[in-house]
Amino acid sequence: MTKPTASFWIHELLLQPHAEGGYFRETGHSPELIVTEDRRERYLYSNILFLLTADNPSHFHRLKSDEAWYFHEGSTLTIHLLHPDGRYEAVKMGRHPEKGELFQFTVPKGVIFGSSIEGSSGDYALVSCMVSPGFDYRDFELLPYDALIKVYPDYGSILEKLAYKKLPEASFSKDHV
């Protein structure tokens, strides 16, 4: 049997392009609703399948909810975190725990993050993500390079790689950090 490709998974799992980069499909959410601090009803949690490729990373964004990532298939994935205190952190996910790679990791709410695959253009990583409280586009911010470089000037090389210079249309973005 040949090794599955990114195209195989995109087709088989009915994934669609995501504004932050990569491909995704919502796979479900809790039947329960909760009321958030800002008095909005939200699902207790929501789930997606998410696929990134070496040439289609997840660009820097921020959520108002925690997001748990679960590695399934493919190449090593790096989650790049920009913490509110100015600290940068890189977390590796993959199938090699002996190299420090994790099978699961939770990005804390309010942390700016993006993800990348190192390798050739054929490399990909397939993960699933669970957001709690459930994902809502009103709580999703794509953050542009110009805004991030002012707050994180020491991390220009990763910002060059994962921050949009110009945000895509209908990106649900904000220009502040």
Side-chain angles (χ1 to χ4, degrees):
M1 179 174 178
T2 61
K3 180 181 173 185
T5 64
S7 296
F8 169 83
W9 290 118
I10 291 166
H11 175 74
E12 288 298 311
L13 299 174
L14 306 173
L15 305 179
Q16 299 295 316
H18 196 294
E20 79 188 53
Y23 304 88
F24 84 109
R25 180 171 58 90
E26 184 178 350
T27 57
H29 53 75
S30 68
E32 301 89 11
L33 293 172
I34 61 169
V35 177
T36 59
E37 292 173 1
D38 58 358
R39 298 187 170 176
R40 293 191 351 239
E41 280 192 342
R42 301 265 300 283
Y43 293 112
L44 181 60
Y45 65 84
S46 60
N47 298 312
I48 65 167
L49 289 168
F50 194 39
L51 184 138
L52 298 170
T53 64
D55 54 353
N56 195 351
S58 168
H59 292 81
F60 280 119
H61 61 289
R62 175 172 43 202
L63 299 176
K64 291 183 181 177
S65 298
D66 290 343
E67 183 171 40
W69 288 54
Y70 305 93
F71 183 86
H72 297 298
E73 179 72 36
S75 301
T76 300
L77 167 92
T78 303
I79 302 175
H80 305 271
L81 301 114
L82 299 171
H83 292 274
D85 64 4
R87 185 172 43 96
Y88 168 79
E89 180 182 10
V91 174
K92 302 272 187 192
M93 295 190 73
R95 57 180 71 243
H96 302 286
E98 74 280 4
K99 295 180 181 178
E101 295 175 6
L102 304 174
F103 288 107
Q104 64 184 37
F105 177 76
T106 300
V107 177
K109 66 181 177 181
V111 172
I112 297 167
F113 68 105
S115 303
S116 64
I117 309 298
E118 304 304 322
S120 67
S121 63
D123 289 343
Y124 70 91
L126 176 63
V127 299
S128 57
C129 301
M130 193 257 328
V131 177
S132 179
F135 182 83
D136 185 320
Y137 274 107
R138 293 175 291 185
D139 297 337
F140 171 78
E141 295 178 85
L142 269 178
L143 298 155
Y145 177 88
D146 291 346
L148 291 171
I149 196 68
K150 292 174 187 171
V151 180
Y152 300 97
D154 295 337
Y155 306 113
S157 62
I158 194 62
L159 295 178
E160 285 286 333
K161 183 176 181 178
L162 294 181
Y164 282 121
K165 295 292 191 303
K166 181 177 188 234
L167 294 172
E169 295 295 319
S171 65
F172 312 100
S173 64
K174 301 196 174 127
D175 288 330
H176 64 279
V177 177

